[in-house]
Each structure stands twice: as C-alpha cells, then as structure tokens.
C-alpha cells in the first residue's frame, strides 16, 4: 500500500475553484491519495516566499512526501518544469524558477528531472495554456505520489547546476556586529525572520535576558534602532515588549510580544531590508 | 470499499466552527470518508458564483464524487433541497436555488430528487432552523458518499424542469463583433472571465499575437476600451501588459500580466457587465 | 484499525508554513492519520474564542476524536500543557490557559493529565522554544490519535479543579427582562451570538412572529435599541430586516437578514457587551 502524501502549495488563494480542480485531478488519478496543503496564500508571483515556505515545512514531513509548488509567473513561457529529490528523500514538482532555492541550500538536492509539459499532462488539456497547476503539476505530482510514475521516469535528468536559483544573502559577522537580512515574516504575528542562524548569533555570546542592539535599514534609510531583550520565548518579555528570539527554524527573529513588529514599524522583507545585531552596552542606572 | 469523495462548498468562511461542524457530522456518519473543500469563500448569498465554481471544478473530480454546496439565502423558507446527478456521474446536494445552473447547462443533469428536510437530517437537530449546512446537507451528502443512502433513496423524483435556474446570458456574434458578459473573476489574480467560448471567438479569426479591440461597459457606462494582444499565455505579454487569453475553462478572459485587471479598472461581474471583442484594425506606424 | 481523527485549531492563519509543519509532524508519526481543521483564524491570542469554537464543533465529531488547540499567548512561560477528556469521550490537547472553559461547562470534563513538554515532544526540537504547536501539541495529539500513546499515559493526573477557566457570565432573567452578553460573532455573517439559552428565553413566552425589544450596551454606552421580530429562521424576515433567532447551538442570536448586524452597529464581543431581551409592547396602529 502506498502512503506517500501529496502536498500542494500555490499563490492561487482558495477563493475560487482553482485549488479544488487540482485536488480533483489528483483524486481522479488515485482516489486513495492523501492530499494536504502547505499554503495557497503565497503572495502572487513571489517565488522567494514559495521557496522559503518549503524549507519551513518539508523537513517535518515523512521522506517520500511529494510537494507540488505552483508559483508560476512564467506560465506559458519556455521556463522548465522539474521534479527534484532532496537528500532527505522529499520530492518537489515545480516550475524551475527558483522555488527550490532554500531546499537546495539547506537540505541539498540529489537529483533533478525535466518534465515534458506537452507529454506528461492531464489528457485532453492541451487547449489550456494558463493553468499548469491543474494540467501539469497536480497531474505529475499525483502520478508520482500514487506510484504510477517513478520519480526517475518523469523525464530526462536535469543537471543540478542548471536549476534556477535565487540569490541568497548569507549573514556574516564583522567584529562585534552581525549583518543579516529580513528574509520573511511570520505572517499572522508580524515577527521578522532573519537569515541569521543561531550558531552565528551565538558568537556574540549574549546570554538570555541580556540586551541586543538591533538596527534595521531599508536600502539607505534607517528604520529602527533599539536595545531589545534576548528572550528564550515570548513569555520572557512583557506583553507589548519587543524581543529578539530564536525562531522555529533556529534563526534569529524579532517580535513584539502579542503585537506585530512588522506593522508597528512598517517593515518589509527582501534584499533591501538589512538588520544588524550586536551586544548592547551595559546600561547602568544610578 | 467505498471511495466516493465528499466535497464541500459554502459561503461560511473558515473563521469560525461552522465548516468543521459539517466535517464532524460527516465523520460521525462514516469515519473513513474522504472529505475535501471546493471553497468556503463564495461571497455571501451569491448563488451565481456558487454555481460557477461547481462548473469550474466538478468535471475534474472522479465520477461518483458527491458535492455539497450550501449558499442558502433562503434557509428556513419553503425553498426545496435537492440531490441531482449529472451526465458525468457527479452528485450535487444543494438548496434548489439556482446552484446547479451551470452544471445543468454545460454538463447536463440526468436526475433530481427532493430531500425531505424534516426526515432526512441529523438526528436531534430539529430545534435548529438556521444551519441546514450541518443538519441537512452535510448529513445527506455523507450518507450518500458512504453508501448508506443511495442517490435514488434521497426522496421522490423531482422533475428537472422544476429545478430553479438562474438566467444565463449567451454570448453571440453580430457581424465582426462578439457580445458577451463578465461572468466571474479569477479571484486572486483579478482576471475577467467572460461567457465567450473559444469556439465563438475563433470565428473572428484572430491569430495569436494580433490585437483584439476590447470594450467593457457597465450598464450604460463605458468602462474600458483598448487594443489588447491576443496571447497564448501570460508569458506572451510583457509584465504589466494587458492581454486577451483563453482561460482554463476554454472561455475568453482578460488580464494584466502580473497585475489585477479588475482592480485596475474597478470592474465587476454579472448581467450588467458587458464586453465586446472584435479584431483590431491594423496599426501602421510610418 | 484506528480511525480516531485529529483536528487542529490555532491562531496561526494559513498564510505561512506553520500549520503545514504541524501536519507534517503528525504524518511522520502515522502516515495513515486522518487530520482535519477546526479553524486557524482564531484572532491572535484570543483564548476565549478558541474555547467557544471548541464547544461549537466538538460534539458533532465522533467520540474519540482528538482536538489539538493552540492559542498560546504564554508559550515559553510556566503555563501547563494538558490533555483532557470530556464526558462525551472527546480528547483535547491544549495549553492550560482557559481553552477548555466552554467544553468543561457544557460537556463536562472527566479526566485531565499534565503533559511533560520537555519529555513528550518532537525529538530534536529542544532548541526551539516558540513553536509548541509543532513540537509538542501536534506531536502529542498525533501520538494519541494513532494509538501510540494512550490518553492516560500522557502524564500525571491533573486535578480538574486546577484547570485554568475563564470567567463565564451566565444569562439570567429579572422579572420580564433577560440579561445576557454577546459571546461571539458568526464571523462571516456578522450575527451576534449571545449567552442566552433558548430555554431561558422561552420563559418570556414570545411566539414566533412577535416582537422582542433588544437593547445592547457596551460598558456604560447604549449602542442599540429596537423592536425586532422573533423569527424561526432568516427567511421569516425581509431581506435587510433585523431579527432575533435561535442559533445552531440553541442560544439566542441577533442578525440582519443578508446583512451584517455587527458591522451595521459596530458591535463587539466579550464581558462589556451586554444585551437585554424582553417582550415588546404590542404596537397598535390606528
């Protein structure tokens, strides 16, 4: 019995029938398939965030799980479609547009195959050129998850070095300051998730309860500067107090306990949003 | 083993417990049932859109799938409840208020039965008069999907011609102009989905890459007029460029590549929103 | 074969990967588990509403169903984690912060156990202190639902009287007036759900079709006063007309037929939002 789950991620939202049509295609291929969602609320065309949400979740699913991620600004262009396998044994079906950037960097990719969109697709869907999520990706994902198509049979081997990758900024330490970037938000809570790994931050040797000087810049503009407590968890800050903490991916994050840091200071994400962290000078109150 | 899936559609949203209560009722009837969502974000009371989302999805699910659609402005009135079967072998349980309009027109209905809401309902739910989604429709849908109640046993045969149908405007060609209507939006992307089928548009004999003159009127007011490229897919237009294309249901649609046409021009849907398409005159730049 | 379903409720939203990571953890424990959602749109940190949504749904699921509810403003504090069993045989895994208030009051709790968060958690998740939804609650819930951990084995017995409970105002009648509170909204439709049970309202002896005088106050401010029809269902009021009705939990509710009462009058929920109901004086038009 096959128990490989199929997990869908898109930027389609769930307000119309698009995602359900994908579910229908998968169920038509195998009415016993286990199908789940990652999210369908990736901001439209935001490949970076699609890539990030994969690294946030893939590793918590069993090896063999098949992820179908469709954030596809290039639908109908000559962008490729690929099936990739990670070192952890997870499979991702996606347009080759950078969606596997984080998975490649943090989990590692062992093998990639090109998908022939004209051949391996929902029968009789040739007249439709704008919904590869339904006609190609859900179809191929369900074929693989159900065991009707092996990963290796999806198409010719695609050299890993040819996979499209988005530029990824690496955080670094310069003397007593760590330079990083705001990668993504914890959407509902408005916390900032940076690219600064705990291990790098640990070099600053700041114990829980001590203060961290946090500076945030957007391009050339200073957006925020303050001394925040380094808290083990939200409960170690007062309600409404800002804090630095380690997020669930073991990267450094900034939040307001029970508030939204992103809303409070109008903070965004991406390569222009820089953050600096350093040990705060000791405050002496006399 | 029964593998008929149960698919729910409502206008309840997923912000409270209503949909989950429906899932609970279905699971109580058969804890092995496969239950899925079409969407729960149909605009409140919008039967037209409920009908449209069914035609967008039903055909992609396996025959035998049971759809429960609850957009029910008349709950508690003498509106009927029906179970209908399509020519494609799909079953729909719904208030008889026009929800099967598109399915009737494009897939065809072979049989309809009246549901006795007083008899065929969740036991001990008689004191509740406002949540037929839970007490009647989820209950009946789960009974059928699980094989505990046959489609034919749901109640007396209901003549198809008595089913409530919403008025549907048919697109038509008058000389060199096609007259249609904006039926619905591709919600997240803001594209306009018209009632003009590709086959009708093809009579204009406009090849990909050529221009289409698009006029949009709301009632007596001109809303939009321009010459747009007829693109095979989004990638054939520049980012930010408007285009005419064939949507995933093989109808003509209008979009901005990576933008929202509906937001850009404040465009709505329904019988007052008319669209005209014709071959654009050849532009000669000298 | 085990068929206990696992049902997740959080305030995480579904815009990022948090909920899917919980699904992944549960699938990793048992890839045959049936997993469903209550809602993930509980307003952030709103334990009261989490508690209410449980009472709105739990009883419609089969006995044995395992609910995991994670609205957890105190994550990382010394707040406890508990597994409780209701008289109806449902199991709830949650921070001990008041989430089981309504379930305790209306269904009754037979047994509670403390969960040792340091021991019973996702292996290798010790460095993460901010996502107990994934690391503790989804893990424990899946262990129980899959039969790998019995309810009794979750930890030492926790005295029921030590469970954290939120204050609950009880509606009461004083002469000809019922005094209640607006507990929660029917989110998508904006109807007011009060804490006035039908049985108490029935003491006013108002038949369907007669008028109810409705007064709403927020703290010291009068917000609304009018005479509304007591309707069996929405269809007994005109479109746009306000009405008093019995909601799907058999409590009294106030709505605008096909409109939003909450939006129309800016009405909120909680202990400061009081409602009074009494029989309206007979209107005689001459």
């Amino acid at each position: 019995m096959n128990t490989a789950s199929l997990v869908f991620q898109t930027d389609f939202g769930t307000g119309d029938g698009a995602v359900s049509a994908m579910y229908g295609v998968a169920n038509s291929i195998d009415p016993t398939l286990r199908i789940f969602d990652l999210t369908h609320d990736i901001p439209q065309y935001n490949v970076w965030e699609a890539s990030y949400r994969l690294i946030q979740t893939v590793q918590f699913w069993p090896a063999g799980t098949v992820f179908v991620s469709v954030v596809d600004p290039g639908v109908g262009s000559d962008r490729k479609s690929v099936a990739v396998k990670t070192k952890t044994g997870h499979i991702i079906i996606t347009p080759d547009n950078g969606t596997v950037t984080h998975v490649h960097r943090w989990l590692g990719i062992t093998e990639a195959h090109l998908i022939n969109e004209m051949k391996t697709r929902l029968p009789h869907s040739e007249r439709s050129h704008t919904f590869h999520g339904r006609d190609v990706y859900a179809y191929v994902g369900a074929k693989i998850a159900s065991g009707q198509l092996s990963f290796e049979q999806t198409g010719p081997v695609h050299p890993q070095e040819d996979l499209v990758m988005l530029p990824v900024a690496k955080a670094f330490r310069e003397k007593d300051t760590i330079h990083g970037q705001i990668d993504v938000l914890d959407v509902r809570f408005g916390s900032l998730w940076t690219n600064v790994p705990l291990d790098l931050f640990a070099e600053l040797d700041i114990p829980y309860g001590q203060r961290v000087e946090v500076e945030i810049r957007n391009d050339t503009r200073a957006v925020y500067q303050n001394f925040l407590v380094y808290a083990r968890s939200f409960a170690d800050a007062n309600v409404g107090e800002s804090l630095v903490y380690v997020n669930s991916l073991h990267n450094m994050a900034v939040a307001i306990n029970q508030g939204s840091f992103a809303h409070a200071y109008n903070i965004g994400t991406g390569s222009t949003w820089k953050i600096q962290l350093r040990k705060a000078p000791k405050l002496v109150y006399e």
Side-chain angles (χ1 to χ4, degrees), chain A:
Chain A
M1 182 200 162
N2 175 61
T3 55
S5 293
L6 183 61
V7 181
F8 287 151
Q9 169 171 272
T10 72
D11 59 352
F12 300 162
T14 52
D16 57 34
V19 169
S20 191
M22 292 173 63
Y23 268 79
V25 166
N27 267 292
S28 297
I29 286 170
D30 180 353
T32 69
L33 261 186
R34 292 168 59 78
I35 318 174
F36 300 95
D37 299 311
L38 204 170
T39 177
H40 297 288
D41 290 338
I42 297 293
Q44 294 100 308
Y45 315 112
N46 192 328
V47 173
W48 170 268
E49 195 157 325
S51 174
Y52 203 99
R53 296 314 174 195
L54 285 173
I55 198 66
Q56 191 184 352
T57 49
V58 162
Q59 54 193 314
F60 295 99
W61 288 80
T65 301
V66 178
F67 293 82
V68 167
S69 179
V70 193
V71 176
D72 192 13
V75 63
S77 73
D78 56 1
R79 66 99 183 84
K80 306 274 188 288
S81 292
V82 290
V84 309
K85 187 176 271 183
T86 65
K87 280 195 183 138
T88 50
H90 300 92
I91 291 170
I92 302 165
I93 315 295
T94 178
D96 181 25
N97 58 12
T99 296
V100 296
T101 298
H102 289 84
V103 157
H104 166 69
R105 202 176 183 96
W106 279 276
L107 298 186
I109 289 175
T110 57
E111 206 177 333
H113 293 262
L114 274 185
I115 297 166
N116 184 332
E117 295 172 15
M118 290 300 103
K119 236 183 65 184
T120 314
R121 67 182 292 152
L122 184 65
H124 315 299
S125 69
E126 296 74 16
R127 287 211 302 176
S128 168
H129 304 290
T130 55
F131 194 3
H132 283 183
R134 180 192 70 191
D135 300 336
V136 176
Y137 299 111
Y139 179 83
V140 173
K143 281 282 184 187
I144 296 175
S146 68
Q148 296 176 26
L149 181 75
S150 74
F151 171 74
E152 290 73 17
Q153 289 170 326
T154 47
V157 168
H158 189 60
Q160 285 184 47
E161 56 273 21
D162 290 357
L163 286 169
V164 174
M165 294 290 157
L166 303 175
V168 173
K170 219 172 127 71
F172 60 93
R173 181 169 65 86
E174 198 178 47
K175 291 188 187 155
D176 61 347
T177 301
I178 288 173
H179 297 259
Q181 166 181 315
I182 301 167
D183 264 354
V184 85
L185 299 181
D186 179 340
V187 173
R188 197 102 190 285
F189 295 93
S191 308
L192 317 182
W193 284 20
T194 77
N195 67 342
V196 180
L198 167 57
D199 293 338
L200 179 62
F201 180 78
E203 296 178 9
L204 295 184
D205 200 24
I206 305 176
Y208 286 136
Q210 292 298 306
R211 300 256 150 193
V212 186
E213 185 174 356
V214 176
E215 269 190 70
I216 298 171
R217 302 184 69 82
N218 181 19
D219 213 342
T220 61
R221 183 171 62 92
V223 175
Y224 182 85
Q225 181 180 24
N226 214 334
F227 302 97
L228 306 187
V229 64
Y230 174 38
R232 199 172 144 283
S233 188
F234 289 82
D236 295 338
N238 294 315
V239 172
E241 185 183 357
S242 296
L243 63 146
V244 171
Y245 70 102
V246 181
N247 75 8
S248 53
L249 298 179
H250 307 138
N251 290 322
M252 304 313 297
V254 179
I256 296 176
N257 185 19
Q258 301 193 27
S260 168
F261 200 98
H263 282 175
Y265 305 103
N266 284 309
I267 290 175
T269 61
S271 62
T272 66
W273 286 91
K274 302 297 187 191
I275 188 166
Q276 293 182 20
L277 305 173
R278 70 180 72 83
K279 194 186 273 194
K282 213 162 215 154
L283 296 179
V284 181
Y285 298 97
E286 304 201 347

